Amino acid sequence: MLKVMAVFGTRPEAIKMAPLIKELEKYRGEIECRVTVTAQHREMLDQVLELFGIEPAHDLNIMRQGQNLFDITGRTLYGLRRVLETELPDLVLVHGDTTTTFVAALASFYLQIPVGHVEAGLRTFNKHSPFPEEINRHLTGVLADLNFAPTARARENLLSEGVKSASVFVTGNTVIDALLAVVRPGYRFADPVLNQIDYDNSRVILVTTHRRENLGGPMREIYRALREVTEACPCAEVVFPVHKNPAVRSVVEEELGGLKKVHLIEPMDYQPFVNLVGRSYLVLSDSGGIQEEAPSLGKPVLVLRDTTERPEAVEAGTVKLVGTARNAVAGETMKLLSDQKHYEKMAAAVNPYGDGRAAQRIVRAIRFWSGLSPEKPADFLPAKKHR
Ligand code: UD1
């Protein structure tokens, strides 16, 4: 029996690991899948565990209000030592670029446990942006024994850094597996505010912000741009699920609180959120995952960052990096609202990130690596652009 332990801690990791855990569970006879959550996020994580019916074997419950990187790193490292020494899995699976990800890879390495890195090889090549994620992902790549690169570009990045090609599998991104499982036509929201919005006649702008490098001044600029857009364009309506971080909340409240055309709501559960992406006109976000989800749903995304580790959708034309300066954010948003041709060009649905079978390929790769199967999975190849 191959014992595999998935370790994650934040909401996006949980969303992207869920399809993989479900796929591993199909091989009960030969693979034992255990889940450990650090709970770097609490409420936001628990929603996803419940949606996908995942019951962790271990919960380190590390989150504290106002936690910093030292807190997360220290609590995770010591918490995982205990779990991994008791469980001694044959393989630890981590996802992406959070501090949970890097520390879980480090703890596994200290105990000489092989590590599989899901969503490996994304790079901005800027150590400070996103901070600390770029370095978290890089260091996890150095420690990993198996690298599941979502795209050919991510694979190239790893190979150029000297990662052995036999350890790299191009799988597509599991975010698309998750998306296909939860987006439904005619989906009804539980929140009445979201059902009352006239999606056909107004232009709904969905906004999210949480990145550490945007806290403070850059976020204030973004919110002022939003205020300008709603004042200038009568049809624009903003829906903004506000991240739980108090440092985000205070500035949002100061700049956007009480505005009629701006709906400030609690962070949404995953299923309503991606269904809302599907109903919105466009998305403004500093998140990574939304840059992968929205293009699949044919929605333009303006990325509120100066760098992205996801250039594929930028090249395909559905995602544009606009940074955080007020004029740029307001200008690009208004251009999308007023120039139909420009909008339609960006709204062409593309799927550079996956076909819904990434989890299958990852499990095949694990079975191949461990000797359970002689068959190496074929690489994921993106389909051509379509309307
Ligand atoms: C973390 C990840 C980031 C990922 C993001 C997704 C790191 C360094 N950052 O950033 O890569 O994109 O998660 O959201 O690993 N909070 C709650 N309840 C929750 C979640 C958060 O109250 O359910 C509050 C806490 O006060 C916490 C703060 O939000 O202190 C920030 O959370 P933290 O995990 O430290 O950083 P994120 O900005 O969420």
Side-chain angles (χ1 to χ4, degrees):
M1 195 74 144
L2 184 77
K3 188 167 177 181
V4 176
M5 175 164 288
V7 181
F8 52 90
T10 67
R11 175 171 61 177
E13 289 166 79
I15 292 166
K16 292 171 165 193
M17 285 297 243
L20 178 53
I21 291 161
K22 295 288 139 190
E23 186 67 22
L24 284 165
E25 284 172 355
K26 293 184 187 160
Y27 292 84
R28 275 210 175 90
E30 56 184 36
I31 299 175
E32 183 191 0
C33 176
R34 310 271 284 166
V35 173
T36 296
V37 293
T38 63
Q40 176 177 334
H41 286 169
R42 189 67 275 174
E43 309 91 301
M44 288 162 70
L45 172 76
D46 292 343
Q47 294 160 9
V48 183
L49 296 177
E50 198 187 319
L51 172 67
F52 289 98
I54 294 170
E55 283 181 29
H58 303 274
D59 186 335
L60 304 182
N61 198 21
I62 67 151
M63 195 196 90
R64 302 288 180 274
Q65 284 299 319
Q67 65 196 2
N68 59 43
L69 296 173
F70 294 90
D71 300 326
I72 305 172
T73 303
R75 277 199 282 272
T76 298
L77 190 64
Y78 285 104
L80 281 179
R81 176 184 183 178
R82 213 174 7 88
V83 170
L84 293 176
E85 278 178 346
T86 324
E87 292 270 359
L88 286 176
D90 300 303
L91 177 68
V92 166
L93 292 176
V94 296
H95 181 280
D97 61 4
T98 72
T99 297
T100 288
T101 311
F102 159 58
V103 177
L106 183 66
S108 307
F109 170 67
Y110 284 164
L111 293 169
Q112 302 276 299
I113 300 167
V115 175
H117 187 196
V118 182
E119 204 186 71
L122 280 63
R123 297 285 184 270
T124 63
F125 302 104
N126 178 341
K127 134 184 205 187
H128 302 289
S129 176
F131 172 84
E133 287 83 1
E134 174 74 2
I135 290 300
N136 281 344
R137 199 187 298 267
H138 204 110
L139 295 173
T140 306
V142 171
L143 296 164
D145 301 271
L146 277 171
N147 298 279
F148 305 114
T151 63
R153 169 84 57 108
R155 176 176 191 271
E156 291 311 312
N157 290 341
L158 291 167
L159 298 187
S160 72
E161 289 164 8
V163 173
K164 287 200 183 73
S165 115
S167 77
V168 185
F169 299 84
V170 181
T171 61
N173 198 309
T174 55
V175 76
I176 308 299
D177 304 25
L179 189 73
L180 296 179
V182 301
V183 173
R184 302 260 170 281
Y187 179 86
R188 294 272 313 158
F189 300 100
D191 182 346
V193 172
L194 297 178
N195 284 325
Q196 277 156 19
I197 293 173
D198 182 356
Y199 296 93
D200 296 327
N201 295 307
S202 58
R203 303 258 150 116
V204 174
I205 306 171
L206 177 58
V207 181
T208 77
T209 59
H210 76 282
R211 298 231 83 88
R212 273 184 162 75
E213 65 272 21
N214 284 349
L215 290 174
M219 282 192 191
R220 199 174 287 281
E221 283 272 294
I222 295 166
Y223 306 152
R224 288 188 176 164
L226 284 174
R227 177 194 276 259
E228 200 178 312
V229 170
T230 53
E231 282 164 4
C233 309
C235 61
E237 199 156 341
V238 170
V239 179
F240 187 169
V242 186
H243 192 283
K244 286 273 184 193
N245 190 342
V248 176
R249 299 203 144 202
S250 54
V251 185
V252 171
E253 200 43 56
E254 278 170 41
E255 297 295 337
L256 297 171
L259 294 184
K260 224 175 120 236
K261 303 290 286 302
V262 179
H263 307 283
L264 301 178
I265 59 176
E266 285 300 310
M268 294 171 68
D269 288 5
Y270 175 63
Q271 185 166 29
F273 181 77
V274 283
N275 279 283
L276 183 59
V277 174
R279 302 272 180 90
S280 300
Y281 195 69
L282 70 107
V283 180
L284 265 67
S285 177
D286 62 7
S287 147
I290 296 171
Q291 294 175 51
E292 296 154 348
E293 289 159 344
S296 293
L297 298 170
K299 303 296 167 179
V301 187
L302 297 179
V303 177
L304 305 165
R305 294 168 48 180
D306 300 321
T307 57
T308 182
E309 58 290 84
R310 295 169 167 89
E312 294 87 350
V314 177
E315 282 157 15
T318 53
V319 165
K320 184 161 186 186
L321 278 182
V322 296
T324 55
R326 176 179 169 175
N327 284 344
V329 176
E332 291 290 344
T333 307
M334 289 200 257
K335 189 170 172 205
L336 275 169
L337 293 176
S338 58
D339 181 342
Q340 191 64 23
K341 270 215 172 95
H342 174 59
Y343 178 85
E344 275 166 16
K345 226 168 136 196
M346 277 191 83
V350 286
N351 239 330
Y353 297 112
D355 58 0
R357 293 192 292 125
Q360 245 179 49
R361 291 192 189 89
I362 294 171
V363 174
R364 281 189 193 150
I366 292 171
R367 295 180 73 244
F368 174 67
W369 166 81
S370 64
L372 284 170
S373 159
E375 216 180 303
K376 189 172 182 251
D379 282 355
F380 159 69
L381 286 173
K384 294 265 177 295
K385 193 164 176 164
H386 63 278
R387 286 275 331 160

